[in-house]
Amino acid sequence: MDITRRRILKGSTLAAAAVAAPHLWLPTSREAWGATLKKGEPIKVGLLFSLTGQLAVPEEDSTLVMQYAIEEINKNGGIAGHEIKPIIIDAKSDFNVYSEKAKELILREKVIALFGCYTSASRKAILPIVMQQNNLLYYPTCYEGAECTQNTICTGPLANQHSKDLIPFMVKNFGKKCFFVGSNYVWPKESNKNAKLWLQNAGGELLGEEYIPLGSSEFGPVLNKIRDAKPNFIFSTVVGASDIAFHKQFKQEGFKVDSMPIASLTTGEIETKAMGADVGAGHFLSAPYFQTLENATNATFVENFLKSKYGKNGSTHYNMEETYLSAYVFKYGLEKALKKTGNIEEVTSRMIRDVSGGIRVEDDVSPEGLIWIDGDNFNTWLKPKIGQCQPDGSFKTVYQAAEHVAPDPYSIYPNSGKCTADGLVAPDGKARKNVI
């Protein structure tokens, strides 16, 4: 495992602490290590999301939509006649729990893959065990990139697939002066490094940059700084319950959305529902999916999901849809691996990952339209979109890329090299595996 200097600088000490936590479960000498698939038995996968705590707002829906997708797949014959069996864990918005439960899922439950996490801090907490055991993580949300592992498949957008479009859009439509606000962990900080470059390229000006502890609901001091700075718009990478508090206090403090809108990478339909449509109205989100997308597949997805027992929260949103897609990427990857081996008992987690490059989820399955997995970095080709929140809490698409955009995890770090299927290849030709 190549743990690079950047990983330390990016603030993953929380992840390291989680891995080293003394209460982590370890297998006894009688218990087998690693994932297994058996003929005639269900295919076990782990769902590792937070159902409680400050990350539950987006992550509960990820758990619900994964159950919906698995049920949908099972009703249509499963995978080669095998049902998928989800092992559901509440990570409780605690990085120690993510790490501990990832170990249990892989070593004791013997899941063939994990689906989970919403923050990069939680992802980095579980990656060491995923890589050590050569298991497979499907990470179904946006993230900062600057990572190249051989055990992950990501179905959300990278920075070059959302903020690269969002920042110049805001500059063009609202003005050059911008203020950054984010939660205090690796994803917002690294995302803002990308956003600074896009802002500079658009001729914009950064007036301030503030970070709030993850889970915090106190934005008074930050809003005072924003009031003094008088930006044309705010670029937000605030997540979870904090995101809801930020928007509410923005409105309570008398800020006007028409003269100073918030442009976000995370504030979708579920967050808007939690804060109130009147609070979210007028603000912007960059994402590959909105519930209002007009196509037959999305109409069917929205209708069937919301009337199912899993649609209890009353909306679909980008993070749910990316999670839904990950279930089908897994299905197609396992089917492809089975064609290669002819025997389900010979299929491994790593084999599924290695054959997943180029897998497509077509228009008739994907609510956002065709997507496919990059064969080098195992992120997703997709069409970036920008939506504006409407008075009813829905999002109106105000921009869509004309073509699919390739995922580029090192878009602002070209000297780091190229992420390939076998590792990060530096300009001098040297390759390193599992760079996080």
Side-chain angles (χ1 to χ4, degrees):
M1 184 191 309
D2 184 356
I3 307 299
T4 65
R5 179 173 180 270
R6 180 180 294 128
R7 178 188 175 194
I8 298 172
L9 293 176
K10 285 162 61 178
S12 59
T13 52
L14 280 171
V19 174
H23 63 279
L24 294 185
W25 174 85
L26 292 172
T28 68
S29 59
R30 295 182 180 180
E31 291 176 301
W33 290 68
T36 57
L37 292 175
K38 298 290 185 183
K39 291 180 180 177
E41 294 185 2
I43 298 164
K44 291 201 291 186
V45 299
L47 309 190
L48 186 55
F49 296 101
S50 289
L51 305 179
T52 55
Q54 57 93 18
L55 294 175
V57 171
E59 293 199 28
E60 181 191 29
D61 279 355
S62 292
T63 302
L64 291 168
V65 81
M66 270 302 299
Q67 292 176 83
Y68 172 80
I70 288 170
E71 185 175 289
E72 187 175 70
I73 291 168
N74 287 341
K75 284 180 177 178
N76 287 290
I79 301 175
H82 293 76
E83 287 197 344
I84 305 171
K85 179 182 178 180
I87 310 298
I88 301 169
I89 299 293
D90 178 9
K92 301 179 180 179
S93 302
D94 185 324
F95 302 128
N96 287 336
V97 176
Y98 281 101
S99 179
E100 177 184 355
K101 295 304 181 180
K103 185 167 288 189
E104 288 189 20
L105 285 166
I106 293 170
L107 300 181
R108 184 162 66 190
E109 297 290 350
K110 302 179 182 65
V111 299
I112 195 70
L114 296 175
F115 297 79
C117 306
Y118 176 71
T119 68
S120 289
S122 53
R123 185 185 73 254
K124 289 179 182 296
I126 73 172
L127 274 177
I129 185 63
V130 172
M131 294 186 295
Q132 181 190 61
Q133 295 300 313
N134 219 8
N135 207 271
L136 178 59
L137 169 65
Y138 288 83
Y139 184 67
T141 192
C142 59
Y143 78 112
E144 70 280 357
E147 192 170 283
C148 185
T149 83
Q150 283 61 67
N151 299 86
T152 54
I153 295 175
C154 303
T155 52
L158 286 160
N160 75 297
Q161 297 171 307
H162 50 34
S163 58
K164 189 174 184 179
D165 291 318
L166 181 59
I167 293 292
F169 174 89
M170 297 303 294
V171 169
K172 178 181 178 181
N173 288 281
F174 294 96
K176 298 180 178 181
K177 297 179 180 180
C178 179
F179 199 105
F180 288 0
V181 182
S183 295
N184 192 13
Y185 72 103
V186 57
W187 175 71
K189 291 184 176 181
E190 192 66 27
S191 292
N192 283 345
K193 290 181 183 178
N194 287 267
K196 286 176 187 175
L197 178 60
W198 315 143
L199 184 63
Q200 179 182 352
N201 290 347
E205 178 185 357
L206 181 60
L207 301 183
E209 183 175 1
E210 293 290 327
Y211 295 95
I212 306 300
L214 195 60
S216 175
S217 61
E218 178 48 61
F219 286 90
V222 172
L223 289 169
N224 286 337
K225 292 181 180 181
I226 292 172
R227 194 185 306 277
D228 291 340
K230 296 180 175 61
N232 299 121
F233 68 96
I234 299 166
F235 178 65
S236 172
T237 48
V238 180
V239 303
S242 298
D243 186 23
I244 295 163
F246 178 46
H247 280 75
K248 282 185 174 180
Q249 290 172 41
F250 175 92
K251 183 177 178 66
Q252 289 166 0
E253 290 293 320
F255 290 94
K256 302 300 182 184
V257 67
D258 55 346
S259 58
M260 192 192 299
I262 299 172
S264 174
L265 304 180
T266 58
T267 312
E269 288 88 344
I270 193 67
E271 289 84 2
T272 301
K273 190 177 183 66
M275 69 179 68
D278 62 317
V279 175
H283 296 299
F284 292 85
L285 169 70
S286 178
Y289 173 83
F290 305 113
Q291 182 173 316
T292 52
L293 290 184
E294 295 182 358
N295 64 69
T297 300
N298 185 49
T300 300
F301 169 67
V302 172
E303 180 182 1
N304 290 347
F305 177 77
L306 292 183
K307 73 181 182 182
S308 77
K309 61 184 177 182
Y310 305 110
K312 64 177 186 176
N313 291 330
S315 66
T316 63
H317 56 91
Y318 74 94
N319 199 61
M320 289 175 60
E321 193 260 359
E322 291 158 8
T323 306
Y324 177 79
L325 293 178
S326 71
Y328 279 91
V329 173
F330 169 72
K331 168 181 159 62
Y332 300 152
L334 180 48
E335 288 172 344
K336 193 173 179 180
L338 272 170
K339 287 182 180 179
K340 183 175 181 180
T341 66
N343 182 356
I344 196 167
E345 295 188 359
E346 294 179 14
V347 173
T348 65
S349 306
R350 178 59 185 270
M351 184 185 298
I352 297 170
R353 180 267 184 189
D354 287 346
V355 301
S356 291
I359 280 178
R360 296 161 63 95
V361 184
E362 301 284 352
D363 292 338
D364 61 342
V365 173
S366 171
E368 71 182 69
L370 169 67
I371 60 98
W372 66 90
I373 304 300
D374 188 85
D376 286 326
N377 58 53
F378 292 82
N379 289 274
T380 304
W381 286 66
L382 48 78
K383 285 187 177 181
K385 302 173 184 69
I386 298 171
Q388 185 176 29
C389 187
Q390 301 300 296
D392 64 355
S394 68
F395 281 78
K396 177 182 178 181
T397 302
V398 295
Y399 167 84
Q400 176 174 298
E403 303 291 341
H404 286 79
V405 175
D408 186 357
Y410 289 89
S411 58
I412 67 168
Y413 299 111
N415 293 332
S416 295
K418 177 179 174 59
C419 183
T420 73
D422 296 317
L424 181 63
V425 179
D428 62 6
K430 294 181 180 179
R432 295 176 294 161
K433 292 183 179 294
N434 292 329
V435 178
I436 62 173

